[in-house]
């Protein structure tokens, strides 16, 4: 085992977490989800992490910032490691994520419009039984019927 890591800087889990900007539980979780390679263990039982682990965790975090789910990130990582993967396959994954984000934005815009309408319809006075917001949420108004 010692020869395998000769000349390679190794890290314990706490240092990996610190360098990657996550906590130790996240490192363990990524290992459990097979998003990072399973580290070897020292005789003492400590895991042996390398710069590759840190780089992969950083990759995962950047992909999450772009809205990719862990399942999607796992696919990206598999494509990244596959020698036969082409750039067009990676581009396709990004285009699919873009379409998902675009649809979410449209949904959020619709929600925003309905909330503005509900807020504007409520004077903020009177008994809660007369509240148009509650009426809409209960499906009693036209606005409420627009909601799924």
């Amino acid at each position: 085992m010692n020869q395998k890591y000769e000349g390679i800087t190794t890290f314990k889990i706490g240092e990996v977490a610190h360098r990657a900007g996550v906590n130790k539980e996240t490192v363990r979780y990524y290992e459990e989800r097979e998003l990072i390679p399973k580290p070897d263990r020292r005789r003492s039982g400590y895991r042996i992490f390398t710069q590759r682990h840190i780089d992969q965790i950083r990759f995962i975090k950047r992909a999450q910032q772009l809205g990719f789910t862990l399942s999607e990130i796992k696919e990206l990582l598999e494509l990244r490691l596959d020698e036969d993967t082409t750039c067009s396959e990676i581009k396709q994954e990004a285009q699919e994520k873009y379409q998902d984000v675009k649809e979410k934005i449209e949904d959020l815009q619709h929600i925003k419009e309905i909330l503005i309408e509900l807020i504007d319809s409520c004077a903020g006075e009177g008994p809660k039984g007369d509240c148009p917001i509650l009426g809409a949420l209960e499906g009693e108004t036209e606005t409420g019927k627009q909601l799924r």
Side-chain angles (χ1 to χ4, degrees):
M1 185 73 67
N2 289 343
Q3 289 178 338
K4 180 178 179 180
Y5 293 99
E6 194 171 310
I8 296 174
T9 304
T10 61
F11 308 95
K12 291 182 181 176
I13 192 168
E15 190 162 5
V16 169
H18 176 74
R19 288 174 179 253
V22 298
N23 59 47
K24 290 191 274 188
E25 290 74 27
T26 299
V27 176
R28 288 185 190 103
Y29 184 68
Y30 289 170
E31 181 185 344
E32 185 180 301
R33 292 277 309 258
E34 298 178 355
L35 291 164
I36 60 173
K38 191 162 189 73
D40 292 329
R41 289 192 179 263
R42 299 184 192 282
R43 286 189 185 133
S44 62
Y46 286 107
R47 293 176 185 87
I48 303 172
F49 292 95
T50 64
Q51 186 63 44
R52 178 178 176 212
H53 292 95
I54 296 166
D55 294 342
Q56 198 142 328
I57 292 168
R58 289 177 178 160
F59 178 98
I60 292 165
K61 297 310 292 177
R62 285 190 292 269
Q64 283 181 312
Q65 288 175 336
L66 290 175
F68 287 94
T69 65
L70 290 180
S71 297
E72 292 167 335
I73 292 169
K74 189 170 185 176
E75 287 179 38
L76 285 172
L77 289 168
E78 288 168 0
L79 288 171
R80 181 177 174 232
L81 295 174
D82 184 348
E83 295 290 326
D84 297 325
T85 298
T86 63
C87 189
S88 66
E89 290 174 279
I90 304 298
K91 182 177 180 177
Q92 179 64 36
E93 292 290 325
Q95 287 172 323
E96 288 174 16
K97 179 47 63 182
Y98 169 79
Q99 191 60 39
D100 289 347
V101 169
K102 185 178 166 191
E103 290 170 12
K104 285 179 184 175
I105 290 170
E106 289 169 2
D107 287 345
L108 288 171
Q109 287 289 0
H110 180 70
I111 290 168
K112 177 184 168 187
E113 291 166 11
I114 291 175
L115 283 170
I116 288 170
E117 188 178 325
L118 289 173
I119 291 166
D120 289 347
S121 72
C122 182
E125 298 174 359
K128 67 179 176 186
D130 295 338
C131 181
I133 296 172
L134 290 177
L137 293 174
E138 291 167 358
E140 297 172 354
T141 66
E142 283 305 311
T143 302
K145 289 176 185 169
Q146 292 176 31
L147 303 172
R148 297 173 211 151

